[in-house]
Amino acid sequence: MSSPLLEQLIDALRILPGVGQKTAQRMAYHVLERERDGATRLASVLAESVEKIGHCTRCRDFSETEVCAICTSASRDAHLLCVLESPADRMALEQATGFRGLYFILQGRLSPLDGIGPAELGLDQLAARLAEGEITEMIIATNPTVEGEATAHFLAQLARSKSVKPSRLAHGVPLGGELEYVDRGTLAHAFGSRIEMS
Amino acid sequence: MSSPLLEQLIDALRILPGVGQKTAQRMAYHVLERERDGATRLASVLAESVEKIGHCTRCRDFSETEVCAICTSASRDAHLLCVLESPADRMALEQATGFRGLYFILQGRLSPLDGIGPAELGLDQLAARLAEGEITEMIIATNPTVEGEATAHFLAQLARSKSVKPSRLAHGVPLGGELEYVDRGTLAHAFGSRIEMS
Ligand SMILES: [Zn+2]
Ligand SMILES: [Zn+2]
């Protein structure tokens, strides 16, 4: 290489998902040739994000404040709680639907073989929240995979034990898929025709 | 969004080539969930790169020193000079061939309509270098596009005017393509069977 520092940059870019050696090279060249101001900003925002972004103590989504902007918003409907596996799923759902309730992010799904049980998903915290009495319906929007379905049934029992009505996204979400990759139309339809869990 | 800072991060990632909103979101989530140490390093290397990486005064490739590591290397053959359009082309060629000579990077190609003439490509500097008398062969490896070919003919004239033998990559490089995307085998073959320009 003509520049050891450039070599380090290419190597460092490979932490990004889907970025191999060739793509990292193209990114490094592109940035140095045409995006120096943008790269300075990216470096600064990235460092600040790693330092400051943790998890909201109320919904477990990413947040740089103790309680996130959505949980503290006065314009959200505090009677509806939507439970999701990941922040990416939350964003997909928020963008696709007109949902104005609150969220709870599991940061995973029940997977006993991987040692992921109720504690790892914050279900004690969720149970305490349901017990507060404000939430009337809990919309369970875990992914339509085997583990996601098992998690949904566990969550439905939890909701009923706190006298909260559990509901589930309607069929329409393709089986075996990941919410994050479902098109907006399908997701919006499935959300709108969610059914109460029996 | 649950986090305004996360929103800024997603926005900042979009300076990377081929990265739209969806990919930027995935990158931000991935980094925050699984690559915090790597992201801190990327932020630091990126900031340092933008600050320190300029161009080698001898070959015009990227370098954080006045003269780059390749130009100062004692193990390169100073009689052979390979002229390329871009640093990405240089890296592709260096990786594909066993070339041990030196390089000159045009940082573009002749394109009168876009106002890119000999001055913008550093051809005065190249002429001065050829006049030093050490270089015996100049391998012209511009891209096999119309503008790249025109540039090659201009460069061949320049070489001959300084009594340096111009050569060109052999056919085998597909017409209309970009060196950076040519597979290693084709590139190595074309380089090995380069022909003297008449
Ligand atoms: Zn929150
Ligand atoms: Zn150099």
Side-chain angles (χ1 to χ4, degrees), chain B residues 61-87:
Chain B
D61 200 349
F62 289 124
S63 176
E64 69 263 34
T65 47
E66 202 190 324
V67 180
C68 79
I70 292 178
C71 286
T72 50
S73 166
S75 69
R76 314 282 310 200
D77 182 347
H79 300 300
L80 297 176
L81 184 73
C82 181
V83 181
L84 294 138
E85 290 182 23
S86 74

Side-chain angles (χ1 to χ4, degrees), chain B:
Chain B
M1 287 286 283
S2 61
S3 158
L5 187 53
L6 178 57
E7 205 156 353
Q8 286 175 40
L9 175 59
I10 291 167
D11 188 56
L13 282 164
R14 297 191 56 184
I15 61 154
L16 299 174
V19 175
Q21 177 71 13
K22 190 90 188 173
T23 306
Q25 278 177 21
R26 290 212 316 124
M27 286 178 165
Y29 286 134
H30 177 87
V31 155
L32 290 171
E33 276 163 13
R34 280 185 285 276
E35 288 283 0
R36 288 187 176 239
D37 288 351
T40 299
R41 177 156 185 279
L42 173 57
S44 135
V45 172
L46 186 58
E48 193 185 349
S49 294
V50 169
E51 191 197 324
K52 294 189 183 164
I53 296 179
H55 293 283
C56 170
T57 54
R58 190 119 180 103
C59 73
R60 293 165 53 100
D61 200 349
F62 289 124
S63 176
E64 69 263 34
T65 47
E66 202 190 324
V67 180
C68 79
I70 292 178
C71 286
T72 50
S73 166
S75 69
R76 314 282 310 200
D77 182 347
H79 300 300
L80 297 176
L81 184 73
C82 181
V83 181
L84 294 138
E85 290 182 23
S86 74
D89 289 346
R90 189 201 56 72
M91 191 179 295
L93 197 131
E94 176 93 0
Q95 287 171 351
T97 72
F99 183 63
R100 297 298 298 163
L102 296 172
Y103 295 101
F104 188 86
I105 314 293
L106 300 170
Q107 302 285 3
R109 59 188 95 174
L110 289 176
S111 181
L113 293 179
D114 302 316
I116 299 175
E120 284 69 30
L121 303 182
L123 297 195
D124 285 357
Q125 191 184 336
L126 178 59
R129 185 150 172 198
L130 295 176
E132 289 169 9
E134 196 164 24
I135 294 155
T136 53
E137 178 184 355
M138 184 167 93
I139 302 159
I140 302 168
T142 51
N143 285 305
T145 57
V146 173
E147 288 178 340
E149 293 288 344
T151 306
H153 282 282
F154 192 93
L155 290 169
Q157 284 182 312
L158 178 66
R160 279 187 292 260
S161 78
K162 305 292 177 192
S163 307
V164 170
K165 181 178 81 168
S167 62
R168 184 91 180 87
L169 295 198
H171 283 298
V173 181
L175 275 168
E178 301 275 338
L179 281 197
E180 186 183 351
Y181 298 102
V182 174
D183 67 276
R184 288 172 65 116
T186 304
L187 196 54
H189 174 86
F191 190 78
S193 18
R194 64 187 181 268
I195 48 169
E196 188 170 354
M197 288 180 80
S198 54

Side-chain angles (χ1 to χ4, degrees), chain A residues 56 58-61 67-71, chain B residues 2:
Chain A
C56 170
R58 190 125 179 96
C59 72
R60 293 165 53 99
D61 201 347
V67 179
C68 81
I70 292 178
C71 286
Chain B
S2 61

Side-chain angles (χ1 to χ4, degrees), chain A residues 87-100:
Chain A
D89 289 346
R90 187 199 59 72
M91 192 179 296
L93 196 131
E94 177 92 3
Q95 288 171 351
T97 72
F99 183 63
R100 297 299 298 162

Side-chain angles (χ1 to χ4, degrees), chain A residues 55-63 65-72 102-103 105 129, chain B residues 2:
Chain A
H55 294 283
C56 170
T57 53
R58 190 125 179 96
C59 72
R60 293 165 53 99
D61 201 347
F62 288 123
S63 177
T65 47
E66 201 190 323
V67 179
C68 81
I70 292 178
C71 286
T72 50
L102 298 171
Y103 295 101
I105 315 292
R129 187 152 171 197
Chain B
S2 61

Side-chain angles (χ1 to χ4, degrees), chain A:
Chain A
M1 287 284 285
S2 62
S3 158
L5 186 54
L6 178 57
E7 205 156 353
Q8 286 175 40
L9 175 59
I10 291 166
D11 188 56
L13 282 163
R14 297 189 58 185
I15 61 153
L16 299 173
V19 175
Q21 178 70 14
K22 190 91 189 172
T23 306
Q25 278 175 22
R26 290 210 316 124
M27 285 177 166
Y29 286 133
H30 177 87
V31 155
L32 289 171
E33 276 163 15
R34 281 185 285 274
E35 287 284 0
R36 287 186 177 240
D37 288 350
T40 299
R41 176 154 187 280
L42 173 56
S44 133
V45 172
L46 187 57
E48 192 185 351
S49 294
V50 169
E51 191 197 323
K52 295 188 182 162
I53 296 179
H55 294 283
C56 170
T57 53
R58 190 125 179 96
C59 72
R60 293 165 53 99
D61 201 347
F62 288 123
S63 177
E64 70 263 33
T65 47
E66 201 190 323
V67 179
C68 81
I70 292 178
C71 286
T72 50
S73 165
S75 69
R76 313 282 309 199
D77 181 347
H79 299 302
L80 296 177
L81 185 73
C82 180
V83 182
L84 294 138
E85 290 182 22
S86 73
D89 289 346
R90 187 199 59 72
M91 192 179 296
L93 196 131
E94 177 92 3
Q95 288 171 351
T97 72
F99 183 63
R100 297 299 298 162
L102 298 171
Y103 295 101
F104 187 85
I105 315 292
L106 301 170
Q107 302 286 359
R109 59 189 95 172
L110 289 176
S111 181
L113 294 178
D114 302 316
I116 300 174
E120 285 68 31
L121 304 182
L123 297 195
D124 284 357
Q125 192 185 336
L126 178 59
R129 187 152 171 197
L130 295 177
E132 290 170 6
E134 196 163 24
I135 294 155
T136 53
E137 178 184 355
M138 183 169 93
I139 302 160
I140 302 168
T142 51
N143 285 305
T145 57
V146 173
E147 287 177 340
E149 293 288 343
T151 306
H153 282 282
F154 192 93
L155 291 170
Q157 283 183 314
L158 178 65
R160 279 187 293 258
S161 76
K162 305 293 178 192
S163 306
V164 170
K165 182 178 79 169
S167 63
R168 185 87 181 91
L169 295 198
H171 283 298
V173 182
L175 274 168
E178 300 275 338
L179 281 196
E180 186 182 352
Y181 298 103
V182 173
D183 68 272
R184 288 172 66 116
T186 304
L187 196 52
H189 173 85
F191 190 78
S193 20
R194 64 185 181 270
I195 48 169
E196 187 171 354
M197 288 179 81
S198 54

